[in-house]
Amino acid sequence: MAKESPDNLMFKEITKKNLWAVLKLNVAEEQKKNVAPNSVSIAEAHFSNYAWMRAIYVGETPVGFVMLADPVSGEEGEDEKYNGRYFLWRYMIAKEHQGKGYGKKGLDLLCNYVRSRPNAEYLYSSYEPGEHGPRMFYLKYGFEETGEKIDHEIEIRMKL
């Protein structure tokens, strides 16, 4: 078994083989209001032309989920809040795998991926304000608040 180190972190496609393992991943109870369940995210991705999603693995162990709105693969006007922007739509590390550096390493991999895409200047996202939210994680990583809101969430962005 591969050592459980952030250095062994990778993205894997979600397939019939690993779907149930990804669906079983959950954040801590107090974080559930901050991110949709993976089942909802995967369903939304299947009805979107611009969603890029992957399971986050450390070796052979699934530890999280990421979904990106990729404007290159989508259609103009499909969803105004993502239109023309790379947007970290969903991001989660399962409760039992938090605090091990996987969240930061996963964002490193995602940023490298987005930098390889056409016209990638910024990575946008948003977060639910409040206790147990990801605000400090994102700000510490290098995102900054834009002063805009998306629905009831605070919009953030990071120069790539």
Side-chain angles (χ1 to χ4, degrees):
M1 184 173 174
K3 184 177 178 234
E4 289 195 11
S5 162
D7 295 334
N8 295 327
L9 192 132
M10 67 192 92
F11 294 149
K12 289 187 180 184
E13 275 193 68
I14 299 170
T15 65
K16 280 192 325 187
K17 241 179 147 173
N18 67 0
L19 175 63
W20 286 105
V22 175
L23 292 177
K24 289 179 185 177
L25 298 173
N26 287 302
V27 294
E29 193 63 39
E30 63 272 9
Q31 297 171 318
K32 286 185 177 180
K33 68 178 172 37
N34 298 317
V35 65
N38 293 341
S39 58
V40 171
S41 298
I42 291 168
E44 283 181 316
H46 280 287
F47 292 100
S48 168
N49 293 323
Y50 56 81
W52 177 92
M53 65 176 166
R54 295 291 185 269
I56 303 170
Y57 271 75
V58 174
E60 295 301 313
T61 305
V63 300
F65 175 83
V66 61
M67 188 162 78
L68 176 73
D70 182 341
V72 176
S73 62
E75 297 174 6
E76 284 298 314
E78 186 178 0
D79 191 318
E80 295 300 318
K81 64 185 166 190
Y82 307 130
N83 215 3
R85 304 187 309 174
Y86 293 94
F87 195 97
L88 176 55
W89 190 355
R90 299 280 161 65
Y91 191 65
M92 67 84 71
I93 301 295
K95 61 186 169 202
E96 63 272 17
H97 299 289
Q98 292 180 10
K100 299 178 181 180
Y102 300 158
K104 180 189 178 307
K105 181 65 175 186
L107 280 183
D108 291 346
L109 290 177
L110 181 67
C111 288
N112 287 338
Y113 171 76
V114 174
R115 285 184 190 104
S116 75
R117 305 292 295 150
N119 305 315
E121 186 178 351
Y122 289 95
L123 176 61
Y124 287 83
S125 192
S126 63
Y127 67 86
E128 181 86 33
E131 193 176 9
H132 307 294
R135 179 178 188 264
M136 291 312 299
F137 170 75
Y138 287 125
L139 295 181
K140 186 176 175 184
Y141 188 82
F143 283 87
E144 58 188 21
E145 294 174 348
T146 66
E148 299 294 320
K149 284 194 172 190
I150 298 175
D151 299 321
H152 57 279
E153 295 185 357
I154 308 296
E155 182 185 73
I156 55 177
R157 77 176 187 181
M158 185 179 75
K159 179 102 169 114
L160 294 169

